[in-house]
Amino acid sequence: MPSNSMALTPGLSSFLKSLKTNPIDTSIDNLISLLKRRQIRHSRSCAIATAYLLLRVVSAFRTTEAAKLIERVQNVGRRLVAAQPREMVVGNIVRRVLGLIRDEAEDERDAEFSLSSDAGTDSRPHTPPRGPSPSRLAPQSHISSSLKPGDTDTKDQDTASVLSERSSSRPPVNSFAPTPAPISMFSLLSHPETESPQTGSPVPASPSGRVPGHGPSKDIRAEIIDGIGEIIDELGQVDDQIAGYALEHIHSNEIILTHTSSSTVQKFLLKAAAKRKFTVIHAESYPNNHEATHATVSGTAYSDEETMSFESFQKPLIALGITVILIPDSAVFALMSRVNKVILGTHSVLANGGLVAAAGTRVIARAAKVHQTPVVVVSGVYKLSPVYPFDYEALIEYGDASKVIGYEDGDLVDKIDVENPLYDYVPAELVDLYITNLGGHAPSYLYRIVSDHYRKEDINF
């Protein structure tokens, strides 16, 4: 019985299992419910769930028309984004899938256009008829009419006789024209006469862009499914790809400050700890992430389904000989003067270079700005959103206030308003460098990466 209850626990693992058996509409409603109730919270978990759901949507779609497939994905994407607008990665995955569909549709359109160009060009060599040229036929009548009886010019007579003999030995020009075959009056309307296209004239295409006589367009779903599979593979490899740049940014005997139990940050530090010796000061991120942070530092298990699935490590930093100092969040400013570098994780990155990260990140970034300590943010490309933060307050999500002050303190709670923000907005001027799975970038360079991954027509789908 306990095993059955654990298997039915709402979360990413249970959703992926039910996705294989449930109908597609039921799976969409299930993911919407999980997003609304925040039973899937982490960015990568939401991205994986969205990618697998869209993979199922595309594979279950039975129409080969790209426009209808785009409309279907847009409808599903709007419902998912409306369920949890603060999860930027959901919209990012939808935009990338829409871009895949548009790219495949354009490739198919280009292939059809090349086929129409090839079909409109006559591949057979064009041989001109062997009749006399008009430039030679004109002088014949002129010379024959200019010769009068009684003329004694023998030279002109010889020339005229030669031209007349040549013209009489060749058939007339009209004799080389093809003679049309007789057509019955009964078959005149059922078999209309079609003229062969001229050399270089394109074959007219249908309004849908297809070439007549070439059959229906191919099914582009196979290519789109392969593209979504590549996105899923990228989500599973993004932390390892980011960790590959660790030795370029972490040096020996440095003091590095970090925050929360981000799996991307931990793998980044573990990669550098294999060859470098440094010190890590770890802020505990109270009250929302302190338990997971303590478990990450000590290497003990943490009873969270998503954390155990995607944030479990073989060894903690202390097992590799790295000195790790766990401090409360209030001591960040006091120790920042001794820190050489700040490495932070993020929940999402916005179009202006700012980021939404765990609560307490903005305080750390401002303290680093005062002490002129470089701030490095590690993030996968799938977290880069083309959405501009016009309203910063709308991006902040608030959690359970009882984690700050317990409900047992009833008298105190009635007198004050208690808020527990889960995230902070950090402006771009407080960040010095972004490290993604594509390398290191300045905040002002992120718009180029965003323009390469998302199409303009899909930003506001």
Side-chain angles (χ1 to χ4, degrees), residues 176-432:
F176 292 95
T179 305
I183 303 175
S184 174
M185 292 295 295
F186 297 100
S187 61
L188 182 61
L189 298 178
S190 60
H191 300 284
E193 182 180 2
T194 57
E195 297 180 357
S196 60
Q198 298 291 335
T199 303
S201 60
V203 177
S206 63
S208 61
R210 299 172 184 171
V211 182
H214 286 79
S217 60
K218 66 175 183 179
D219 191 358
I220 63 176
R221 291 181 303 168
E223 287 79 5
I224 299 172
I225 290 174
D226 292 340
I228 299 176
E230 293 178 359
I231 295 177
I232 296 175
D233 294 339
E234 176 188 341
L235 295 175
Q237 302 172 2
V238 61
D239 286 350
D240 295 331
Q241 294 173 352
I242 295 175
Y245 301 98
L247 295 177
E248 300 178 8
H249 300 277
I250 297 179
H251 308 285
S252 299
N253 301 323
E254 281 189 333
I255 299 177
I256 297 174
L257 188 142
T258 187
H259 186 231
T260 72
S261 60
S262 171
S263 63
T264 307
V265 175
Q266 292 299 316
K267 288 187 178 181
F268 190 81
L269 296 175
L270 284 171
K271 185 68 174 181
K275 295 184 178 180
R276 307 279 168 79
K277 298 300 179 182
F278 49 90
T279 302
V280 175
I281 299 177
H282 209 304
E284 65 175 354
S285 184
Y286 185 86
N288 299 307
N289 195 246
H290 65 286
E291 294 180 358
T293 301
H294 282 260
T296 301
V297 172
S298 60
T300 58
Y302 178 60
S303 59
D304 187 354
E305 180 192 2
E306 296 179 20
T307 305
M308 289 296 296
S309 300
F310 298 101
E311 297 184 7
S312 58
F313 309 103
Q314 295 180 356
K315 293 182 180 180
L317 287 172
I318 56 177
L320 298 178
I322 302 300
T323 302
V324 181
I325 303 173
L326 188 64
I327 63 172
D329 299 323
S330 57
V332 168
F333 192 87
L335 296 175
M336 187 61 70
S337 60
R338 300 189 179 188
V339 174
N340 301 110
K341 194 171 298 178
V342 176
I343 299 179
L344 302 173
T346 179
H347 184 71
S348 61
V349 183
L350 304 174
N352 64 338
L355 64 133
V356 178
T361 305
R362 185 165 183 169
V363 174
I364 296 175
R366 286 195 175 276
K369 190 72 173 180
V370 172
H371 292 277
Q372 298 182 357
T373 304
V375 176
V376 179
V377 176
V378 291
S379 171
V381 174
Y382 70 96
K383 294 183 180 181
L384 304 184
S385 176
V387 177
Y388 190 88
F390 294 102
D391 186 9
Y392 301 146
E393 295 296 332
L395 302 174
I396 306 303
E397 182 180 356
Y398 293 90
D400 187 6
S402 63
K403 292 185 177 181
V404 180
I405 297 179
Y407 291 130
E408 60 273 8
D409 300 329
D411 297 337
L412 184 61
V413 174
D414 293 338
K415 296 179 182 179
I416 60 176
D417 294 332
V418 181
E419 293 182 350
N420 179 22
L422 300 179
Y423 300 105
D424 277 345
Y425 171 75
V426 182
E429 57 267 18
L430 299 181
V431 180
D432 296 285

Side-chain angles (χ1 to χ4, degrees), residues 7-254:
L8 296 177
T9 301
L12 178 62
S13 301
S14 61
F15 171 74
L16 295 181
K17 291 179 181 179
S18 64
L19 191 61
K20 301 177 182 179
T21 57
N22 291 341
I24 183 63
D25 293 333
T26 304
S27 299
I28 295 173
D29 295 337
N30 188 13
L31 181 56
I32 290 175
S33 177
L34 292 174
L35 291 175
K36 285 183 177 180
R37 297 176 181 179
R38 305 304 283 141
Q39 293 172 326
I40 299 181
R41 179 179 299 276
H42 299 287
S43 298
R44 182 167 42 180
S45 301
C46 294
I48 291 174
T50 305
Y52 273 105
L53 178 64
L54 295 181
L55 179 64
R56 178 76 187 279
V57 169
V58 173
S59 60
F61 200 71
R62 298 306 178 190
T63 305
T64 59
E65 296 184 12
K68 293 184 178 180
L69 184 57
I70 290 175
E71 183 180 359
R72 171 63 170 167
V73 175
Q74 285 178 340
N75 292 334
V76 176
R78 292 190 190 103
R79 295 179 62 188
L80 296 178
V81 172
Q84 192 52 249
R86 296 184 181 90
E87 284 293 347
M88 300 294 180
V89 294
V90 174
N92 296 343
I93 299 300
V94 175
R95 294 182 185 93
R96 292 186 64 173
V97 173
L98 290 173
L100 287 175
I101 301 174
R102 296 185 189 276
D103 291 341
E104 294 298 333
E106 289 181 358
D107 293 342
E108 182 187 9
R109 195 179 304 115
D110 294 340
E112 290 180 355
F113 180 77
S114 62
L115 287 176
S116 64
S117 301
D118 296 339
T121 305
D122 192 1
S123 59
R124 294 174 299 179
H126 180 72
T127 57
R130 294 183 180 180
S133 62
S135 61
R136 291 187 178 183
L137 291 176
Q140 176 183 358
S141 59
H142 173 74
I143 294 175
S144 59
S145 61
S146 62
L147 291 177
K148 298 179 181 179
D151 286 343
T152 58
D153 193 351
T154 59
K155 183 177 181 180
D156 292 341
Q157 291 178 358
D158 295 338
T159 305
S161 61
V162 171
L163 290 175
S164 62
E165 291 177 359
R166 291 183 177 179
S167 60
S168 61
S169 62
R170 298 173 180 172
V173 179
N174 295 333
S175 62
F176 292 95
T179 305
I183 303 175
S184 174
M185 292 295 295
F186 297 100
S187 61
L188 182 61
L189 298 178
S190 60
H191 300 284
E193 182 180 2
T194 57
E195 297 180 357
S196 60
Q198 298 291 335
T199 303
S201 60
V203 177
S206 63
S208 61
R210 299 172 184 171
V211 182
H214 286 79
S217 60
K218 66 175 183 179
D219 191 358
I220 63 176
R221 291 181 303 168
E223 287 79 5
I224 299 172
I225 290 174
D226 292 340
I228 299 176
E230 293 178 359
I231 295 177
I232 296 175
D233 294 339
E234 176 188 341
L235 295 175
Q237 302 172 2
V238 61
D239 286 350
D240 295 331
Q241 294 173 352
I242 295 175
Y245 301 98
L247 295 177
E248 300 178 8
H249 300 277
I250 297 179
H251 308 285
S252 299
N253 301 323
E254 281 189 333

